[in-house]
Amino acid sequence: MNIDLTNTTASKINKALIEGRRAIGTPAVGMVLTLVIVTDEENAYDALKAASEASREHPSRTLVVIKRVSRSPRDRTSSRLDAEVRVGADAGTGETVVLRLYGEVVNHAQSVVLPLLLPDAPVVVWWPVNPPLDPANDPLGALAQRRVTDTYAAEQPVKELSARAEAYTPGDTDLSWTRITPWRSMLAAALDQVTCEVTSVEVEGEEFNPSCELLAMWLADRLDVPVRRSASSGPGLTAVRMGTSCGSIVLDRADGSLATLSIEGQPDRAVALQRRDTAELIAEELRRLDPDDTYASALRYGVERLAGPSSESAEGEDVPSSAAEPTVTAEAPAKAEAPAKGPAKKTTSKAPAKKAAAK
């Protein structure tokens, strides 16, 4: 059931939601959360489709906020709110309200969204494209317990990761991190099968894929070993190679669906690692509403500390010279084929001597 409202208000939208539920015979509210999608007209259809599919697992009230750009100065001074209310089969297992904001009300979207939030229910805000620099301090992001962005949609994904690390607030997350959940699970399971010391890691994938960078930073942060980032033609992540004291461990996925896990002394085994669509990613993020400390730790590790094409790309994006120094620290232990903790301290102690000689 669809109800179109032109030049409306939040109270009229709430009244339309109640009338719609009564018309389809479900007067009770059975939603568990409110999902706010902030997007543009171009990406609204795909985002709403993904949210509708995810609502089968998480019944929710979905509010789609579309900020329309006014072309003439006269239109910018006036305010208008158009809404489309969807209840029943057209909205999945929840309710959907598409809000189109015009004029001055674009700068006050939170005042429109706030009366439409479900009472005593968590709020999740998702920016499919063009997220704010600091999601937690955004007027809409401040209403939410969980804020979801996607650095894969950014023009400079590697630089965007650095910006996300600087502005991180507990509750922030990224779909690029969600995409590597099966990889992290499989690599952790592979390391549980051996009693060896990991000495080096190589992550291979598309050059400008932030999921590859996040997986490399997670491995470097957790294993405390040098991690090298290498580029491939994709799709997405293609391989992770770990050098250990008792042989190599390789997780290789060349076709984007089926991977091969190779452990020294064991037969190769096929692993299902199919690339997931946006609906599955959003459904996974809605399963947990608490802060993701593992994501925060990996994000703060820093892209510039990885060795390989990612560090070179970061240097080309005006990274300060002080941020490039840890790259030498990451590469030095790799040549010695030793754990990162010992050589890292030696390299750090030599750094002041080099600066003094330069002076």
Side-chain angles (χ1 to χ4, degrees):
M1 179 178 180
N2 288 4
I3 303 174
D4 292 328
L5 303 173
T6 304
N7 198 8
T8 185
T9 61
S11 60
K12 293 180 180 178
I13 295 173
N14 269 320
K15 187 181 296 184
L17 286 170
I18 296 173
E19 293 176 356
R21 287 198 301 267
R22 289 176 178 173
I24 63 175
T26 56
V29 178
M31 276 70 72
V32 298
L33 58 88
T34 303
L35 175 62
V36 181
I37 305 175
V38 187
T39 183
D40 52 18
E41 198 73 58
E42 179 183 357
N43 298 278
Y45 175 80
D46 293 335
L48 187 54
K49 181 181 179 182
S52 298
E53 294 180 8
S55 69
R56 299 172 184 173
E57 183 177 343
H58 309 278
S60 59
R61 173 178 290 181
T62 304
L63 306 177
V64 184
V65 180
I66 303 175
K67 300 179 180 180
R68 301 296 297 266
V69 178
S70 301
R71 297 182 179 180
S72 65
R74 181 179 298 176
D75 292 338
R76 296 191 191 102
T77 58
S78 61
S79 298
R80 196 180 91 209
L81 171 63
D82 294 344
E84 181 183 349
V85 179
R86 303 178 185 178
V87 182
D90 296 330
T93 58
E95 300 171 344
T96 300
V97 181
V98 181
L99 304 169
R100 289 182 172 86
L101 282 60
Y102 300 83
E104 286 293 330
V105 74
V106 168
N107 301 321
H108 305 280
Q110 73 278 5
S111 62
V112 177
V113 171
L114 186 59
L116 301 176
L117 300 178
L118 290 172
D120 302 325
V123 180
V124 180
V125 178
W126 172 33
W127 292 270
V129 293
N130 303 323
L133 295 177
D134 191 351
N137 289 328
D138 182 79
L140 286 174
L143 302 175
Q145 289 79 27
R146 194 82 162 151
R147 297 164 293 276
V148 184
T149 58
D150 191 359
T151 52
Y152 187 79
E155 293 184 3
Q156 297 177 322
V158 176
K159 190 175 182 180
E160 190 74 13
L161 285 177
S162 301
R164 289 282 159 261
E166 294 178 2
Y168 176 80
T169 303
D172 294 352
T173 189
D174 198 297
L175 292 186
S176 296
W177 171 257
T178 315
R179 290 183 179 96
I180 62 174
T181 300
W183 284 82
R184 293 189 293 118
S185 302
M186 190 55 57
L187 292 172
L191 290 175
D192 286 342
Q193 301 178 32
V194 296
T195 56
C196 303
E197 183 181 1
V198 180
T199 56
S200 63
V201 179
E202 179 185 3
V203 177
E204 181 185 271
E206 292 177 335
E207 185 174 357
F208 298 105
N209 191 318
S211 296
C212 303
E213 320 294 339
L214 283 170
L215 182 61
M217 290 189 289
W218 174 70
L219 289 169
D221 179 58
R222 289 296 168 179
L223 299 176
D224 198 11
V225 296
V227 176
R228 181 169 183 81
R229 172 76 167 87
S230 59
S232 69
S233 57
L237 270 163
T238 52
V240 174
R241 302 178 182 89
M242 294 187 289
T244 69
S245 57
C246 54
S248 60
I249 299 176
V250 180
L251 183 60
D252 190 354
R253 185 189 69 176
D255 58 357
S257 60
L258 189 65
T260 302
L261 177 62
S262 303
I263 302 177
E264 192 78 17
Q266 299 183 18
D268 294 350
R269 64 198 74 175
V271 180
L273 276 180
Q274 189 170 1
R275 304 187 74 191
R276 299 180 295 170
D277 57 16
T278 308
E280 294 181 63
L281 302 177
I282 286 295
E284 179 181 331
E285 283 300 332
L286 296 181
R287 291 185 197 126
R288 57 173 303 171
L289 300 176
D290 57 320
D292 193 342
D293 297 331
T294 306
Y295 165 70
S297 180
L299 187 65
R300 288 169 175 162
Y301 181 85
V303 182
E304 66 276 359
R305 297 176 63 182
L306 301 175
S310 60
S311 59
E312 296 174 4
S313 300
E315 291 174 3
E317 294 168 357
D318 298 327
V319 175
S321 58
S322 59
E325 291 180 3
T327 305
V328 180
T329 307
E331 290 180 351
K335 295 180 181 179
E337 294 184 358
K341 289 185 178 178
K345 294 181 180 178
K346 294 181 181 179
T347 309
T348 307
S349 62
K350 292 180 181 179
K354 291 183 180 179
K355 291 183 179 179
K359 291 181 179 178

